[in-house]
């Protein structure tokens, strides 16, 4: 079975549509959190995820929008976008976000937005932080989001850890490692200096995860963000993927 991995969609409808178009042949979807925040189409993105029947964990932006976390934790621009999102979310979509778990475990993998040590807030940025999550893992693979950069941390058979950044077309073969923590990058606000929407394809039989990137209409999203009066910094960064 092939599963599309949709991380950090961040209310970017144009990016999400192009990613789903590229994922037409998959058998299902999973989402490591942050459907909303930053972008101009939170309701449309939540509704698509709901219709996909996509197993989803809550991200820090979901929690902030439904006021489960203190907003002072967020920087000015992010906070402004969260307040805007919170205002426009429909009651139905808010209820859906409220019901999202922080952690999902199934037969083959685990999934969390940040890390297993701190599901909502910790960024897995390097081998040391990744190793701390690996020590808590029950399954071979753990999918994470939050960083918006495609990155893998592995525990090799000899008890050695390694980590590297990934890009379009890279395939991680989890069968070669004892444990794998993987971030497939962000659909709606990539930060690896590549502005294309980033996503993944998980082959449950082969135990491989492929990183993919697609172009989308960035200008259209930026126009909508300007109309909604969202912060200029958030509008500009989409162009650079940072
Ligand atoms: Zn995010």
């Amino acid at each position: 079975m092939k599963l599309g991995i949709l991380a950090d969609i961040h209310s970017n409808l144009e990016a999400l549509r192009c990613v789903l178009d590229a994922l037409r042949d998959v058998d299902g979807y999973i989402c490591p959190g942050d459907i909303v925040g930053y972008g101009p189409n939170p309701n449309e993105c939540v509704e698509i995820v709901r219709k996909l029947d996509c197993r989803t964990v809550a991200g820090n932006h979901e929690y902030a929008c439904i006021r489960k976390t203190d907003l002072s934790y967020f920087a000015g621009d992010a906070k402004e976008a969260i307040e805007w999102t919170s205002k426009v979310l429909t009651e139905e979509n808010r209820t859906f976000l409220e019901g999202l778990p922080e952690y999902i475990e199934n037969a083959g993998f685990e999934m969390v937005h940040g890390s297993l040590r701190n599901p909502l807030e910790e960024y897995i940025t390097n081998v040391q932080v990744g190793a701390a999550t690996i020590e808590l893992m029950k399954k071979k693979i753990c999918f994470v989001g939050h960083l918006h950069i495609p990155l893998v941390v592995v525990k090799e058979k000899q008890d050695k850890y390694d980590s590297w950044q990934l890009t379009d077309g890279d395939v991680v073969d989890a069968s070669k490692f004892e444990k794998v923590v993987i971030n497939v990058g962000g659909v709606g606000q990539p930060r690896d200096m590549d502005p294309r929407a980033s996503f993944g394809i998980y082959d449950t039989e082969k135990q491989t995860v492929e990183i993919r990137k697609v172009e989308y209409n960035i200008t259209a999203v930026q126009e909508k963000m300007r109309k909604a009066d969202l912060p200029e910094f958030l509008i500009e960064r989409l162009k650079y993927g940072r």
Side-chain angles (χ1 to χ4, degrees), residues 4-16 19 30-39 45-46 49 54-62 74 111-115 119-124 143-151 182-191 195-200 216 237-238:
I5 309 160
L6 314 166
D8 295 281
I9 298 165
H10 282 298
S11 306
N12 188 331
L13 182 61
E14 276 68 19
L16 179 59
V19 166
I30 55 173
C31 171
D34 275 2
I35 306 167
V36 299
Y38 299 132
C45 290
V46 172
V49 171
C54 167
R55 299 214 60 198
T56 306
V57 289
N60 55 324
H61 283 253
E62 269 83 55
F74 288 88
M111 181 166 65
V112 75
H113 183 61
S115 76
L120 289 162
E121 282 159 25
E122 186 173 47
Y123 290 92
I124 296 184
F143 293 106
V144 298
H146 202 30
L147 188 64
H148 303 198
I149 293 174
L151 181 94
I182 187 159
N183 189 324
V184 298
V187 169
Q189 195 204 71
R191 294 179 189 163
R196 292 178 294 172
S198 191
F199 61 102
Y216 70 94
R237 71 186 302 174
L238 291 178

Side-chain angles (χ1 to χ4, degrees), residues 17-37:
R17 278 187 179 145
C18 290
V19 166
L20 290 178
D21 206 41
L23 284 173
R24 264 171 310 193
D25 298 331
V26 298
D27 307 293
Y29 303 87
I30 55 173
C31 171
D34 275 2
I35 306 167
V36 299

